[in-house]
Amino acid sequence: MPLDRSLISGLALFAEMTPAEQEDILAKARSSRHPKDAVIFAQEEEAHSFFVLLAGHIRVVKTTPDGEQVIARYINEGELFGIAPAIGRTTYPASAIAAVDCVALAWPTRLWSDFASSYPSLTSNTYATVGRRLQETQQRVVEMSTEQVEQRVAHTILRLIKQAGRKTPEGIEIDFPITRQDIAEMTGTTLHTVSRLMSAWEDEGIVVGGRQKVTVSDPHRLMLIAEHRRKR
Amino acid sequence: MPLDRSLISGLALFAEMTPAEQEDILAKARSSRHPKDAVIFAQEEEAHSFFVLLAGHIRVVKTTPDGEQVIARYINEGELFGIAPAIGRTTYPASAIAAVDCVALAWPTRLWSDFASSYPSLTSNTYATVGRRLQETQQRVVEMSTEQVEQRVAHTILRLIKQAGRKTPEGIEIDFPITRQDIAEMTGTTLHTVSRLMSAWEDEGIVVGGRQKVTVSDPHRLMLIAEHRRKR
DNA sequence: CCCGCTATTTGCGCAACGGCAAATTGCCGC
DNA sequence: GCGGCAATTTGCCGTTGCGCAAATAGCGGG
């Protein structure tokens, strides 16, 4: 069945395209549903498709040869993912896993170069995204190099509530299930240390924990922890 | 004085352009010399130009609000740098410092969009570069998350001799002056720890140290250290 | 409603690494 | 040739945060 243009007309990525162009792109897309925990694509796999996430949240994970995992980022609604072809790769550099039930649009990789030449706004938006991710990743390197674990975890949680926060009576909550282990894999520490930190913060009334859930009740104080300088 | 096309005709970045196109691009370039330790551009500064390095080595450094520094990467001959406009930024995200005397070509930032539309091969090469840097940076995050300091330093030195190594009677030497502090800023540790590690390696005959110099005499053994898994 | 699985918490000990201080070395410029 | 400066080395100690182990707590399914 044909896809409705309203699916993508609201996304910044396609905002500068005409309705006809949007129809054209949609006509070539295939929509896909992915239940929670499904592997949408796997690291090292041939990059058959690239995607736009319409609904849900996706975890992008790198696995090392000896089985350790690092979360590269979370993808939010409206974002591109799996854009290996755009950066000159033929395999995916990481795996994408549905953090909740997800809906995405997918296009065969081989269409990328057609799209790139036909729709300059798509190209420039894509590269702006890649550039932004490069910035974010560099920032993460800086944090890992210069901050203590406590500050890194605080920064990471603040970033999560900023990009996927939802207001609740108790504070701002991360909109998808996330474990202590996940937070550890985003910050380069262990689930034990994350658990200890969050327990301490909970005692101080800064956050409210829960199974696969984090709610920040006092963002300001969490910011103070994140910015706290112990030296100098 | 006009610049000679031979300056850039050998660079992969311009390889797919016609001689006439190369002339056109060169005509708009300004060449610049930068003595060792010169700041070519500074973090946060308005991005007035983008560059290609013709000769020398450049250190790209991020400085935190409290004055700590992290080396984002080294730029080698033939590489683009300062390409803020290409990733949708108006200021430079880091500073660029000449590690040795350097020669570069510079173009005003406002020309970027003209070039991007006139020379598709330049665009795609540029984005391949950005993509590669994103990969490298992610890899660095993975290393910082999962490896001990010793392995990280070993990996970093191996990477340096791979991209800027020069054969000498004693082994392979990094082609530009680099201090223990610099290596610390690439690996997220301190110059003390780097010094201790390198002293130990020197005792074992794996490297030869020197002031602002590193020579690897036994790359194979250094690789073993880099890959050494202590757990599991 | 109970079972079983997974996530989380927490105590304990220790190893890796950073901080500090001081000595030493090599090099550049005068 | 020498003085001064920057880079490097090294010892010692303290702390952070990890490894390990075991207990506990939610949650989903049957």
Side-chain angles (χ1 to χ4, degrees), chain B residues 118-131:
Chain B
S118 308
Y119 308 116
S121 79
L122 179 65
T123 318
S124 63
N125 275 321
T126 301
Y127 289 124
T129 298
V130 174

Side-chain angles (χ1 to χ4, degrees), chain A residues 13-214:
Chain A
L13 185 60
F14 304 104
E16 295 149 73
M17 295 172 53
T18 64
E21 291 174 333
Q22 293 177 352
E23 297 283 5
D24 174 49
I25 276 203
L26 262 181
K28 292 167 179 152
R30 160 177 69 81
S31 87
S32 57
R33 306 185 146 271
H34 306 275
K36 179 161 149 55
D37 296 326
V39 175
I40 302 173
F41 55 76
Q43 183 169 335
E44 309 293 294
E45 175 182 306
E46 201 62 29
H48 50 82
S49 302
F50 61 94
F51 304 81
V52 167
L53 182 60
L54 294 182
H57 291 276
I58 286 167
R59 192 173 43 208
V60 178
V61 181
K62 279 201 154 236
T63 305
T64 64
D66 49 306
E68 288 200 88
Q69 303 206 321
V70 175
I71 298 183
R73 63 173 27 83
Y74 277 91
I75 303 292
N76 297 309
E77 298 187 2
E79 279 190 86
L80 280 169
F81 67 102
I83 44 179
I87 57 174
R89 287 193 55 112
T90 60
T91 60
Y92 296 115
S95 304
I97 295 163
V100 295
D101 291 351
C102 288
V103 179
L105 292 178
W107 292 269
T109 291
R110 72 184 152 66
L111 291 185
W112 171 255
S113 60
D114 295 351
F115 284 7
S117 45
S118 308
Y119 308 116
S121 79
L122 179 66
T123 318
S124 63
N125 275 320
T126 301
Y127 289 125
T129 297
V130 175
R132 204 175 319 115
R133 290 181 187 174
L134 177 55
Q135 300 295 307
E136 289 164 4
T137 310
Q138 308 247 45
Q139 187 53 41
R140 191 163 159 193
V141 168
V142 170
E143 285 182 14
M144 296 193 74
S145 297
T146 62
E147 297 180 355
Q148 310 259 101
V149 169
E150 182 170 25
Q151 298 166 65
R152 297 206 303 267
V153 174
H155 268 132
T156 299
I157 290 178
L158 286 169
R159 222 172 283 131
L160 285 169
I161 63 173
K162 193 168 171 186
Q163 50 163 238
R166 199 173 38 126
K167 274 240 177 71
T168 73
E170 287 107 24
I172 306 173
E173 165 188 316
I174 297 172
D175 200 23
F176 48 83
I178 186 167
T179 67
R180 308 288 180 268
Q181 175 72 36
D182 291 333
I183 296 173
E185 288 175 8
M186 300 182 74
T187 50
T189 180
T190 62
L191 81 163
H192 307 282
T193 298
V194 172
S195 176
R196 280 184 260 264
L197 284 171
M198 292 198 37
S199 296
W201 292 343
E202 187 148 10
D203 290 346
E204 297 186 37
I206 298 173
V207 304
V208 183
R211 199 186 172 84
Q212 309 202 67
K213 196 156 71 69
V214 177

Side-chain angles (χ1 to χ4, degrees), chain B residues 148-149 188-190 192-193 196 211 230:
Chain B
Q148 310 261 88
V149 169
T189 180
T190 63
H192 306 282
T193 299
R196 279 184 260 262
R211 201 184 173 84
R230 99 162 42 296

Side-chain angles (χ1 to χ4, degrees), chain B residues 53-131:
Chain B
L53 182 60
L54 295 182
H57 291 276
I58 286 168
R59 191 171 48 208
V60 179
V61 181
K62 280 202 154 232
T63 306
T64 64
D66 49 305
E68 288 199 88
Q69 302 205 322
V70 175
I71 298 183
R73 62 171 32 81
Y74 278 90
I75 304 292
N76 296 309
E77 297 187 2
E79 281 190 86
L80 279 168
F81 66 104
I83 43 178
I87 57 172
R89 288 193 55 113
T90 60
T91 60
Y92 296 115
S95 304
I97 295 163
V100 296
D101 292 351
C102 289
V103 181
L105 292 178
W107 292 269
T109 291
R110 73 184 150 65
L111 291 185
W112 171 257
S113 59
D114 296 351
F115 284 8
S117 45
S118 308
Y119 308 116
S121 79
L122 179 65
T123 318
S124 63
N125 275 321
T126 301
Y127 289 124
T129 298
V130 174

